[in-house]
Amino acid sequence: AQSVTQLDSQVPVFEEAPVELRCNYSSSVSVYLFWYVQYPNQGLQLLLKYLSGSTLVKGINGFEAEFNKSQTSFHLRKPSVHISDTAEYFCAVSDLNYGQNFVFGPGTRLSVLP
Amino acid sequence: KAGVTQTPRYLIKTRGQQVTLSCSPISGHRSVSWYQQTPGQGLQFLFEYFSETQRNKGNFPGRFSGRQFSNSRSEMNVSTLELGDSALYLCASSLIGGASANYGYTFGSGTRLTVV
């Protein structure tokens, strides 16, 4: 079964600094990869997704992620964060071979400091 | 267009009771999935319904059940509540769901269930 690892449970960063949130998944077979954001007391909002094609994926709010098949990683990056980016970020994988729904990582709490 | 609507937003129940949560998907979406979110276990898949049929099921006990109506609205039920069932329950809808995730999932804001 698939598993998703987000090594950093919390990432504090100063405003306007760059940030990278790491995500690794367990299998290199055909998968779809996603990043979701969750603001306090809200549901999950899709930031970006990788289905196929270019390994660099651009999403909303200035975020981007790079799919690396050999390292089974899908790290999320933003060159300059804002206070409003403070939230929980979840990496998720959908395994095409099993037709199952998402397996989510444990989440990374991004705190942007003034 | 309206998003995914979950009701109620907050709920407090006593151990041993049962509870029903509701999810109205985006108009035209036929797939509804349910997830449980807790601080200890994170986001875990409960089940998916498509065209009134349960298509996938996660690893939860039989106390957790669901159904989908002809208008795609879905309900989930938890019987004999335990303290560990306290969680945020999220519903997600998509056009067809399953492995065709390129259509994308839209999540509701969730129902926060507290069992005392």
Side-chain angles (χ1 to χ4, degrees):
Chain A
Q2 274 285 354
S3 67
V4 179
T5 304
Q6 292 180 247
L7 291 173
D8 305 304
S9 60
Q10 296 186 59
V11 173
V13 62
F14 287 105
E15 193 174 17
E16 298 183 6
V19 70
E20 178 180 82
L21 306 184
R22 296 179 291 170
C23 171
N24 289 86
Y25 59 98
S26 61
S27 171
S28 62
V29 297
S30 298
V31 293
Y32 290 157
L33 295 160
F34 304 80
W35 275 98
Y36 281 86
V37 61
Q38 186 177 34
Y39 299 102
N41 298 315
Q42 294 189 27
L44 277 69
Q45 180 182 1
L46 179 66
L47 275 177
L48 48 80
K49 58 188 176 187
Y50 172 79
L51 305 180
S52 64
S54 173
T55 57
L56 183 62
V57 180
K58 293 191 183 297
I60 63 172
N61 301 340
F63 283 94
E64 64 181 31
E66 185 152 21
F67 170 58
N68 188 318
K69 188 174 183 178
S70 62
Q71 297 186 4
T72 61
S73 69
F74 190 55
H75 300 332
L76 180 71
R77 301 187 187 98
K78 186 170 182 178
S80 176
V81 295
H82 303 287
I83 296 287
S84 59
D85 292 323
T86 295
E88 190 93 20
Y89 291 79
F90 294 92
C91 181
V93 60
S94 177
D95 191 325
L96 304 181
N97 290 325
Y98 293 97
Q100 66 186 34
N101 284 270
F102 295 154
V103 174
F104 284 91
T108 296
R109 172 74 180 169
L110 174 64
S111 297
V112 181
L113 310 171
Chain B
K1 57 183 176 182
V4 178
T5 304
Q6 291 189 247
T7 56
R9 285 297 309 275
Y10 302 92
L11 206 50
I12 300 176
K13 288 287 188 179
T14 303
R15 197 169 37 177
Q17 287 186 312
Q18 75 168 18
V19 67
T20 300
L21 312 181
S22 177
C23 172
S24 293
I26 288 174
S27 178
H29 283 194
R30 295 168 62 191
S31 166
V32 174
S33 298
W34 289 90
Y35 289 82
Q36 182 196 62
Q37 185 178 24
T38 60
Q41 300 297 318
L43 282 152
Q44 294 185 285
F45 171 67
L46 280 156
F47 28 65
E48 180 202 7
Y49 285 86
F50 180 77
S51 293
E52 303 178 64
T53 301
Q54 186 180 87
R55 185 158 65 177
N56 282 307
K57 189 177 189 305
N59 189 27
F60 276 81
R63 299 186 297 105
F64 291 82
S65 63
R67 59 178 175 169
Q68 187 180 34
F69 302 95
S70 58
N71 62 358
S72 294
R73 189 178 72 86
S74 176
E75 290 181 347
M76 68 163 281
N77 183 276
V78 187
S79 62
T80 319
L81 284 165
E82 300 177 359
L83 296 179
D85 297 332
S86 294
L88 180 66
Y89 289 88
L90 291 166
C91 161
S93 80
S94 71
L95 272 172
I96 62 173
S100 300
N102 51 312
Y103 286 99
Y105 284 88
T106 301
F107 282 82
S109 297
T111 294
R112 184 164 296 282
L113 171 65
T114 302
V115 182
V116 298

